[in-house]
Amino acid sequence: MKKIFFIAIAVLCLPISKVHAQSNHILWYDQPATYFEESLVLGNGKMGASVFGGVNSDKIFLNDATLWSGEPMNPNMNPEAYKNLPAIREALKNEDYKLADSLNRKLQGKFSESYAPLGTLFLDFKTNGIPQKYYRELDINNAISRVEYEQNGVTYTREYFVSYPDKVMVIKLTSSKKGALNFDLRFESLLKHKVSLENKTLHAQGSAPFESKPSYLGKVANAVAFDESKGTRFSTIARIKNTDGTVITTDSTLAVRNATEAIVFVSVATSFNGYDKNPVTNGLDNEKIASTQLGNALPKTYKTLKSNHVNDYQKFFSRVSLNLGATTAPNLPTNERLKRYALGKEDKNLEVLYFQYGRYLLISSSRTLGVPANLQGLWNPYLRPPWSSNYTTNINTEENYWLAENTNLSEMHLPLLSFIKNLSETGKITAKTFYGVNGWVTCHNSDIWAMSNPVGGFGGGDPVWACWNMGGAWLSTHLWEHYQFTQDKGFLKNEAYELMRGAAQFCLEWMVEDKDGKLITSPSTSPENKYITSTGYHGATMYGGTADLAMIRACLSQAIDASILLNVDEEFRMKLESALDRMLPYRIGKKGNLQEWYYDWEDADPQHRHQSHLFGLFPGHQITPDATVALANACRKSLEIKGDETTGWSKGWRINLWARLGDGNHAYKMYRELLKYVDPDGVKTSYHRGGGTYPNLFDAHPPFQIDGNFGGAAAVAEMLVQSTEKQIKLLPALPDTWSEGSVSGICARGGFVISMDWADKTLKTVTVSARCDGKTTLVSGNKQKEITLAKGQQVTLNW
């Protein structure tokens, strides 16, 4: 994988703390960022910015969620692939797993496209001297970043935000001395582009590659290919609004001279017009959109723009508050807080900050319909990013949205839910051509063009990762989750049900009978993991994988429930019910673990990062410590065998699994490990290099993947509240260290919102608000209470 290192000239920055009490909502630092993993990120769900806060030169990476390589894909790329299925199944029947692995490569298509970096904005300051009292922060209460320092006796401040209502980035620069503000503004990009200046406005226009090959392929010919007649177009327009001083232009820069205050406006847009529309011949007018956005924002005062931004952001962020009790942790820069925390020190507010930061990131990266948060959320500086910064649907895309419903950000779920509709259209063709069945499917990777085929480059990919095909079944569960939390029957009827039905149709026709007449999948793989047969063969292709069947159970069960609720499709429902009864059941292996493979084989890597066969425990609901004790214990054994050391996103998943098992102390142990300090990728150090957290609180796979942030935040909510359509468990996995605290705004299935406080690890009071008519049973400790509420009603109970 190609890595890019960002190098900055070190400056001596004498720190000053602007935060007098340790904060649960501010990330702060006493020096500028040098590496991407130290930058502070902003976003409005479409436009993203990574702010470095430099003194002599400030660098800001820019992104747009709709700027990807490629163009609408042809899902009919391998029209006769399905004809290889009989040979694969015959090889498996004859236990020739090596042959099955080889033949499975014939069920492969193209690689996904890549999420592209838009460009970099530079603010080059015409000052020198050693900066003092340097301070840089991100306040996630209002989604505003700030820089302040003194230089040559002058205090300089900068304030940055990216506005959803006004659709621009705004940067306010001030100096304490009149006329001391002098800087040049310029733009660069790794993409093909040109920069022009007119009427004191910087215009940058360019295009994304028409093809970008995955970085994990290494050095290959034409890894990134541009064509003037292809590729999504982009525009960046910057304008400086100054209160004094002058604005001048050169061939490539805007320059401010002798000002005391200046406001920079940045507007970006692309020609992306939908997954199925060519961005060149049928694209949006990106230049007109960017210009209109800028024109609408410029007349507004900074105070109005900031107020619009904060009010819009806070209507989502302020829904949830969390207090984990008193703390004695000292006030330190965030990177130093992480290092101290890694030594086992107490810092409850850091734990709250990480939870709320996950919510901040989802609000900031997921507000564009049909374009969900990708592997890096919204923020990517690389031309060939890790794993193409795509949608990886064998866990990562789904994990991005585990916190959407329960942490009261249901609106942020809509970009994923609308993307599923796009996938269903291409996935119908993939189901027919690759698998010879009806319904729709999506496989291991996707992109903004809703690619649904199994990847691998038409045979070049190892089946262990390339040939998985349960993405549709897994993603369909998000549609049902959204209904369960919102109780929006109109959404279920008009948008979700047909997608759920199509995913279930694929699963129904894809399963075949095993030698005992049980329904299984064949061929099957368990995401990115390999088995060892009794003869010693290490392989990926098999039949009857537990993970497949767990996802299919959820998909079919939820389609059945939706059909009953809507009173439709009785005949189809009966087919699903019959298939559920005939499916191969879960089985417990000789080690007491939940069996991952059809046979009780050994894992090639017993500590493998994926635990897909535990889907039924979390995010599914088929296995619970109450109703299926033996299976829950088998899941526990599987987790014990795997251990706790793993990648960032995998830690996030395991924390949720331990929470579902009711083991709050183990969940908390892993939560602490998720927050283990990891140096930026460009730093050569003896510091921990496994899964953990970078200085800017980004999740370290490593490299950066945002799914660990989202999975970890979701796990905090899961430790405090767990729910089904009939029951809400309060404090089901509370660790000893969180013996007292309070939370408000956590959502539960059935359309309920929970606020509660506790002391001595015991629930004291709980307030339940109803978004619709409903009843549920509250459970905490050995007590339970049934409540019935009308829409808009709330009740407070002393426990």
Side-chain angles (χ1 to χ4, degrees), residues 24 54 162 171 208 308 353 355 371 390 438 473 512 566 579 616 799:
N24 60 14
V162 182
I171 310 168
N308 290 347
L353 175 62
F355 165 74
V371 188
N390 65 14
N438 296 302
V512 297
L566 298 173
W799 207 256

Side-chain angles (χ1 to χ4, degrees), residues 577-619:
E577 290 170 339
S578 175
L580 272 176
D581 290 339
R582 296 173 55 209
M583 286 178 65
L584 183 72
Y586 287 109
R587 290 168 300 168
I588 299 173
K590 58 181 175 290
K591 297 178 182 177
N593 58 304
L594 192 73
Q595 204 165 295
E596 184 167 1
W597 319 102
Y598 184 87
Y599 297 105
D600 195 8
W601 289 330
E602 295 292 328
D603 295 339
D605 177 6
Q607 283 77 49
H608 195 269
R609 62 193 176 278
H610 282 262
Q611 44 267 331
S612 309
H613 61 305
L614 305 186
F615 176 95
L617 176 62
F618 184 90

